[in-house]
Amino acid sequence: MVHTSGIPRRISLWAGVALALVGTLTGCAPPGPEDLPGEPQVTLDSQSQALAYPNGNSRTVVSRRVVYKDASGGYQAAPGFEQFRAAGASDSTLHAIRIAQVEAPSVREAIVFMTAGQKISSSGHSSGVTGQSSNWDASCDGVSCANVVLDGRSLAMKLNALGWFPAGRTHLSVVNDNNFDHLFDSDTKQRIVNGFVHWLQAQVRPETRSIYLAGSSRGGCLVMRIAQALRANTALDGITVYVSSLDGVCRNSQGELGTFDTKVNNPVRPWGTFYGAWATNLSSQFPRRERLHLYQVVGGQEVAPATGIRAFSGYAGATPPSTGTDLDWGWYKQTWVKWQHKEIGNPYTDPSTSDQPLAISETIDAQLTWLDGLL
């Protein structure tokens, strides 16, 4: 990796200053330490505070549909995105998927892929990962969405400005709508995953050495599942895969990402809440862990009341603990936060102004601190 000169690798800690920021799906004592053999873990008290990283520049991009409608209203595979249709999901499903290739150089030492969460209403939604606003899709037609602005404070634009992946030699894409719907059947989801995996693999070049995936909510589940497929591909063994998930949500009733009906309670949940995450044995989900680094920031608020839709939590040992702790297994890191689901997805708009600096520190900047340490 190369790092842009003039940008320090370690930047001062957040001061206690409330930021005036503009810009997304939706009291118990901490437990004592548990003896979980085989996987080291970090307690909440030892969690280091994230660093503050400078904002990048806002970018205006065109977000293209992977399957578009021609002048006669028929569906066509968009040039450069043929892998999605070949994976077999229906054209109507694929038509909703929109991707902006922010930078696509011919030489690609690194591939960076960012995705927002599930779009759950007729309008778009804002994302602290991609930087899109709540009305990003206002200009969409049957082919593309013009003039989509990516906020400079987003994970995508902060990372782009830091230059940790080499400028001019990094393929950067932003998925404004992945249409990875929580309620889709397992077969449809697998076809969508396959489309993303095959498209990303098509971006790999002989010189590619790193792939970084990041997503929130359903996007967090998507990037975890993409990482499973990439790490299972022995042709990519020389490439390091990094994954950032922010309250990633997988459907436990389908066993998605190995989740099942045991809830691990959030040890820092606000008093009177039932925040927690569906347990999954991630070691069994990722049997090949060389050159693999995963990080889940998890709150575990139920996304919609009485739906059972909530984030996932890894665990160590034979059975999940009733209450979680922070984890660091070398290849997998997990930290618990008190924030609501939508606050984790976009800490720039949803927490109160006074809470935003801490929320940003524990979500977006926590992911950058983790990645900074690995690079």
Side-chain angles (χ1 to χ4, degrees), residues 6 21 42 111 138 150 155 163 192 206 239 243 255 279 291 321 350 353-354 358:
L21 301 174
V42 178
I111 295 171
L150 308 180
L155 179 60
I192 292 171
I239 297 175
V243 183
R291 295 182 179 270
D350 288 289
T353 301
S354 60
L358 182 58

Side-chain angles (χ1 to χ4, degrees), residues 256-274:
E256 195 175 15
L257 198 70
T259 54
F260 56 94
D261 291 338
T262 295
K263 182 163 74 76
V264 180
N265 290 318
N266 181 339
V268 296
R269 62 192 184 275
W271 186 89
T273 68
F274 297 93

Side-chain angles (χ1 to χ4, degrees), residues 59-63 132 136-137 139 145-150 176:
R59 297 281 293 271
T60 300
V61 297
V62 175
S63 191
Q132 66 199 48
W136 68 269
D137 59 351
S139 64
C145 310
N147 301 317
V148 177
V149 177
L150 308 180
N176 302 112

Side-chain angles (χ1 to χ4, degrees), residues 15 17 23 41 108 203 207 229 256 262 285 313 321 348 354 375:
V17 179
Q41 62 185 29
R108 299 173 183 181
Q203 310 315 313
E207 66 275 9
E256 195 175 15
T262 295
Q285 294 296 305
S313 169
Y348 297 102
S354 60
L375 298 179

Side-chain angles (χ1 to χ4, degrees), residues 5 106 128 205 229 244 257-258 266 317 326 340:
S5 61
S106 58
R205 300 292 183 266
S244 289
L257 198 70
N266 181 339
D326 289 353
Q340 296 177 21

Side-chain angles (χ1 to χ4, degrees), residues 5 11 38 78 83 103 110 124 145 164 171 198 203 221 238-239 243 254 259 280 283 311 321 330 345 352 354-355:
S5 61
I11 306 165
Q83 296 82 5
E103 295 178 0
C145 310
W164 297 347
H171 183 279
H198 297 160
Q203 310 315 313
C221 186
I239 297 175
V243 183
Q254 293 175 332
T259 54
T280 177
S283 295
S352 65
S354 60
D355 281 339

Side-chain angles (χ1 to χ4, degrees), residues 157-180:
M157 293 297 97
K158 279 187 170 185
L159 181 61
N160 191 57
L162 286 165
W164 297 347
F165 298 107
R169 298 189 299 278
T170 295
H171 183 279
L172 170 59
S173 58
V174 165
V175 183
N176 302 112
D177 190 345
N178 57 47
N179 202 29
F180 196 50

